[in-house]
Amino acid sequence: MSTQVQEGEEGVIYMRGRVAEVLLGAGFFGIMATLFLGFHWAPSVSINAFESPAAQRIFYWHVPSAWAAFIAFGVLFVGSALWFFKRSAFGWRLHVAGTEAGLACGLMTVWSGCVWGAAEWGTPWDWTDVRLNTFGLLTLLALFLVLGRQSQPDGVETRDTFSTFGLYGFVLVPLTYMATRIWQIRHPGPVVAAGDSGGSLESSMALVLMIGALSFTLFIVGHMLISMRITQLEQRLEQVQNSLDGGI
Amino acid sequence: MEGSYYLTTAYLGMIAGLAIWTWTVVTRSRSIELRLAAVESTVGVEASDADSLAPQSINIANQDATD
């Protein structure tokens, strides 16, 4: 009976790994399809409204990657709370997955934004723009958490410290989301869920953007599942190695 | 034309970034699976026995010390 349970657990872990890889593959394929559609199928924007209409197509990557980054930062917040208040090992795995995914998506968003800014504004960054700076801080927070965790020995104190950063750092998420609704400095205003100000997105552009958001969501969920699995396997490996050390 | 240059730079940079990140994570996952399987086969126990193995090992070590 016990052997059957063990085989069942192994099977679940194996299946989770395969599901994650399938999600990764589907997400990656969807992202490539989004880029292709954004490049060849989506209509051009008005040449009067943009300095660099061709570079505007980065939008189909920039917005979905920012969306995926917010999902990752949400997972980071939930994981940090579960660890800090419930001492949940699952919560810690969520925290680890959220930081890594948040860093990757944050860097993609910042990079694509800088390239577009260089083409459209003539400068890759504007230190006076609230949206740019709060999102930049979020990405730096994720970088700090990833590097900090790698340089510190794992333990309750380390996890508590990083979870606290994850909890308080989440304040930047709603602030970043609301920034262009409150302060219109340089970053364009919202084109989706714009409220009374009205979005200006044409239907085929919106469709490509939706495909991009869905693809990035699949991709980032796949990445977070794999990351959680790696953390779980590392913990198991440490347990077995500790048991070996104890036996010597 | 200049806009296309920026767009191509951004796309190539990000596709390469995504591919490298994904490759690194999947490789790391598979490598740790192999390491775990190797350690477990060396120890000669199933993975899910790892929790119960540690106290047993400590008991054996304590007995050896008292003998």
Side-chain angles (χ1 to χ4, degrees), chain A residues 6 9-10 18 21 24 28 31-32 35 38-39 52 54-55 57-58 61 100-101 104 108 111-112 115 118-119 219-220 223 226-227 229-230 233-234 236-237 239-241 243-244 246-247, chain B residues 2-4 6-11 13-15 18-19 21-26 28-30 32-33 35-36 39-40 42-43 45-51 53-54 57-58 60-61 64:
Chain A
Q6 287 166 12
E9 286 173 2
E10 293 296 309
R18 297 295 89 87
E21 286 175 14
L24 268 185
F28 196 84
I31 290 169
M32 294 303 121
L35 295 188
F39 202 79
S52 179
R57 292 172 193 269
I58 290 172
W61 186 300
E100 290 177 358
M108 280 191 284
W111 162 254
S112 54
V115 172
F219 186 74
I220 207 65
H223 255 293
I226 288 197
S227 175
R229 185 158 167 265
I230 289 174
L233 289 175
E234 281 173 347
R236 258 174 54 183
L237 186 63
Q239 278 178 346
V240 178
Q241 283 173 336
S243 71
L244 267 176
Chain B
E2 198 187 0
S4 301
Y6 279 110
L7 184 65
T8 309
T9 308
Y11 274 12
M14 289 183 293
I15 291 168
L18 270 191
W21 179 43
T22 305
W23 176 257
T24 308
V25 168
V26 172
R28 195 170 136 214
S29 166
R30 292 194 172 160
I32 197 163
E33 260 180 68
R35 274 175 59 199
L36 186 63
V39 171
E40 283 170 350
T42 305
V43 176
V45 291
E46 292 294 325
S48 45
D49 284 341
D51 286 337
L53 185 67
S57 307
I58 291 166
I60 292 167
D64 288 347

Side-chain angles (χ1 to χ4, degrees), chain A residues 98-141:
Chain A
T99 52
E100 290 177 358
L103 175 61
C105 292
L107 286 176
M108 280 191 284
T109 309
V110 169
W111 162 254
S112 54
C114 284
V115 172
W116 182 75
E120 181 67 23
W121 303 330
T123 177
W125 198 264
D126 182 348
W127 292 104
T128 64
D129 190 282
V130 179
R131 163 66 70 88
L132 266 59
N133 290 303
T134 52
F135 195 87
L137 275 175
L138 261 175
T139 307
L140 283 177
L141 172 73

Side-chain angles (χ1 to χ4, degrees), chain A residues 199-219:
Chain A
S200 55
L201 212 54
E202 200 260 342
S203 61
S204 53
M205 295 170 91
L207 179 64
V208 178
L209 190 65
M210 287 299 292
I211 294 171
L214 181 66
S215 305
F216 264 92
T217 304
L218 291 178
F219 186 74

Side-chain angles (χ1 to χ4, degrees), chain A residues 27-41:
Chain A
F28 196 84
F29 176 78
I31 290 169
M32 294 303 121
T34 305
L35 295 188
F36 180 80
L37 290 172
F39 202 79
H40 289 286
W41 185 68

